[in-house]
């Protein structure tokens, strides 16, 4: 009997006798590079290509991991690292500046199988904040670590540490000066795309976004991750939704995995990601309907804007946004699709 059980396990895992390896789930990866975009009328072909190439590279990196039988956690972390290293996006290198002229980075990651989660807020020296979030999840008893303590923890965990000047980019610096000129205390979503913002029109290159990834692996496990520099001109100590589990990031194998992008304060107040998960779990509402309700109705009703990416346990994808565009893409059945604007 023991041998029969082992044989079944091996067949299930490796296929056996030339059979194709059976997957429990379809594999899916979805990424975003921020909701709200450079207005279509102001986008150049070259820049559009740079964005789509960046998103495609992240998709490829994460999807390869899923295809080789890797976990959704590894896939979302790898995809985010690609985007953090790309100065076009407001995460890692290329992050926006605080009111004090610093880069303070937030990131989080969640494992839908165990509901384990990790996050860092306001780190200034970790090259890839998403790796620090994962270290908090796996190497500490905590969920969120902030500021100098989080930087110290990342160094002790052996992560790559850089001088804060590594995150500097001229465009982001210019964007900070511009916002300050308008109003020294005004915070500016780097990607809001609000037509009412004169800053938006005068600084078309400043609307680069937070990054996120959600994945379903072949074992049926979901994971979500988000990383950001936050908002241009944010005040000291400001923490957005991105490192808040349940607001900017959430994953539960019973429902879905979500990564948000948008005006963080509103996402926190709506407990955006967990509310969608709860709507699915307790209200039996399909992912798309739950996500649309929150992003297209509840969020603007409060005065917020943005979007999110999500995948449910069956591999269904939702990518709603109430801004002009959202840098986004997904890979499923071996095919990738990357988009910036509405259809
Ligand atoms: N949600 C992020 C924050 O408020 C910003 C973004 O999505 O770009 O920090």
């Amino acid at each position: 009997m023991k041998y029969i059980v082992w044989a079944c396990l091996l067949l299930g895992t490796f296929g056996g006798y030339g059979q194709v390896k059976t997957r429990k789930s379809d594999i899916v990866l979805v990424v975003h590079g921020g909701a709200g975009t450079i207005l279509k009328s102001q986008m150049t072909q070259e820049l559009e290509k740079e964005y789509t190439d960046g998103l495609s590279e992240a998709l490829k990196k994460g999807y390869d991991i899923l295809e080789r039988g890797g976990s959704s956690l590894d896939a979302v972390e790898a995809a985010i690292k690609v985007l953090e290293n790309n100065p076009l996006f407001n995460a890692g290198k290329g992050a926006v500046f605080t009111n004090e002229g610093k880069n303070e980075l937030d990131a989080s990651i969640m494992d839908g199988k165990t509901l384990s989660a990790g996050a860092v807020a306001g780190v200034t020296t970790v090259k890839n904040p998403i790796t620090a979030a994962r270290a908090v999840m796996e190497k500490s008893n905590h969920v969120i670590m902030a500021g100098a303590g989080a930087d110290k923890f990342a160094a002790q965990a052996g992560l790559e540490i850089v001088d804060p000047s590594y995150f500097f980019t001229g465009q982001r610096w210019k964007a900070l000066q511009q916002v300050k000129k308008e109003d020294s205390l005004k915070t500016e979503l780097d990607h809001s795309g609000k037509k009412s913002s004169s800053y938006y029109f005068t600084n078309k290159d400043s609307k680069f976004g937070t990054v996120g990834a959600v994945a379903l692996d072949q074992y049926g496990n979901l994971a979500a991750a988000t990383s950001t520099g936050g908002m241009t001109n944010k005040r000291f100590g400001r923490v957005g939704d991105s490192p808040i589990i349940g607001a900017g990031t959430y994953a539960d194998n019973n429902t879905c995995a979500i990564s948000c992008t948008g005006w963080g304060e509103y996402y926190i107040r709506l407990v955006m990601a967990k509310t969608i998960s709860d709507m699915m779990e307790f209200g039996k509402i399909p992912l798309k309907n739950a996500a649309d309700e929150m992003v297209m109705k509840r969020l603007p009703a409060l005065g917020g804007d943005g979007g999110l990416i999500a995948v449910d346990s069956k591999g269904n994808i939702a990518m709603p946004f109430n801004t002009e565009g959202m840098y986004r893409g997904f890979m499923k059945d071996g095919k990738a699709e990357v988009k910036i604007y509405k259809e």
Side-chain angles (χ1 to χ4, degrees):
M1 180 62 191
K2 202 162 99 187
Y3 295 108
I4 296 172
V5 172
W6 270 110
C8 290
L9 281 175
L10 284 172
L11 279 174
T13 311
F14 300 113
Y17 299 107
Q19 288 174 22
V20 177
K21 180 161 138 182
T22 42
R23 287 175 168 171
K24 188 178 162 212
S25 291
D26 286 339
I27 54 174
V28 182
L29 179 68
V30 192
V31 299
H32 73 75
T37 53
I38 295 169
L39 290 179
K40 199 168 185 175
S41 56
Q42 297 173 344
M43 177 65 97
T44 64
Q45 262 184 356
E46 297 74 45
L47 201 52
E48 189 160 349
K49 185 171 179 321
E50 281 181 45
Y51 277 111
T52 49
D53 285 353
L55 292 168
S56 303
E57 190 192 339
L59 278 174
K60 191 176 174 326
K61 186 87 182 183
Y63 198 81
D64 278 353
I65 292 173
L66 294 174
E67 270 203 319
R68 291 199 312 268
S71 70
S72 50
L73 262 187
D74 285 343
V76 294
E77 182 187 358
I80 295 270
K81 272 173 83 171
V82 169
L83 298 169
E84 284 180 339
N85 294 342
N86 185 334
L88 275 185
F89 299 97
N90 172 22
K93 172 111 185 135
V96 299
F97 284 93
T98 67
N99 175 266
E100 296 177 313
K102 295 181 183 165
N103 301 110
E104 294 180 357
L105 313 164
D106 300 337
S108 66
I109 190 162
M110 186 159 183
D111 179 358
K113 182 181 173 193
T114 59
L115 301 190
S116 306
V120 289
V123 292
T124 57
T125 62
V126 193
K127 183 179 179 207
N128 291 107
I130 198 64
T131 59
R134 186 154 181 188
V136 171
M137 176 172 86
E138 291 176 343
K139 298 180 180 164
S140 85
N141 296 323
H142 308 304
V143 172
I144 304 186
M145 295 175 89
D151 277 306
K152 191 170 169 183
F153 172 78
Q156 284 176 358
L159 304 184
E160 190 170 352
I161 300 300
V162 291
D163 186 85
S165 61
Y166 163 80
F167 299 107
F168 181 93
T169 54
Q171 268 173 335
R172 301 291 195 204
W173 186 252
K174 245 174 36 203
L176 175 67
Q177 307 316 316
Q178 183 67 35
V179 178
K180 279 185 153 177
K181 211 160 63 187
E182 278 187 20
D183 176 348
S184 67
L185 286 184
K186 175 185 166 195
T187 47
E188 179 69 58
L189 248 198
D190 81 322
H191 61 200
S192 72
K194 273 193 174 166
K195 294 182 183 164
S196 58
S197 164
S198 58
Y199 165 69
Y200 178 78
F201 289 111
T202 52
N203 293 274
K204 64 187 174 77
D205 287 343
S206 64
K207 304 294 172 189
F208 306 144
T210 286
V211 307
V214 295
L216 173 65
D217 65 29
Q218 62 177 272
Y219 316 104
N221 294 322
L222 291 166
T226 312
S227 181
T228 189
M231 293 168 70
T232 297
N233 205 25
K234 66 183 180 181
R235 297 192 74 188
F236 35 69
R238 183 263 185 186
V239 176
D241 61 310
S242 306
I244 307 294
I245 299 302
T249 303
Y250 198 72
D252 180 344
N253 276 5
N254 292 317
T255 54
C256 61
I258 297 182
S259 169
C260 300
T261 167
W263 201 289
E265 278 70 8
Y266 294 96
Y267 281 72
I268 295 171
R269 288 164 60 195
L270 286 167
V271 198
M272 180 63 84
K274 176 70 159 84
T275 299
I276 292 169
S277 172
D278 284 350
M279 288 165 83
M280 293 177 70
E281 184 171 1
F282 305 122
K284 305 288 170 228
I285 300 172
L287 172 65
K288 188 180 176 325
N289 301 25
D292 278 351
E293 171 70 25
M294 293 302 291
V295 173
M296 309 311 282
K297 293 191 187 147
R298 307 284 170 123
L299 179 63
L302 271 192
D305 63 352
L308 59 82
I309 53 168
V311 59
D312 71 13
S313 50
K314 296 194 179 62
N316 297 306
I317 294 170
M319 302 187 288
F321 53 94
N322 63 22
T323 44
E324 171 154 327
M326 178 169 79
Y327 301 109
R328 65 200 187 278
F330 68 85
M331 212 162 164
K332 196 177 170 172
D333 301 325
K335 285 187 218 97
E337 204 173 293
V338 173
K339 288 198 173 134
I340 299 178
Y341 299 102
K342 288 181 191 147
E343 303 295 54

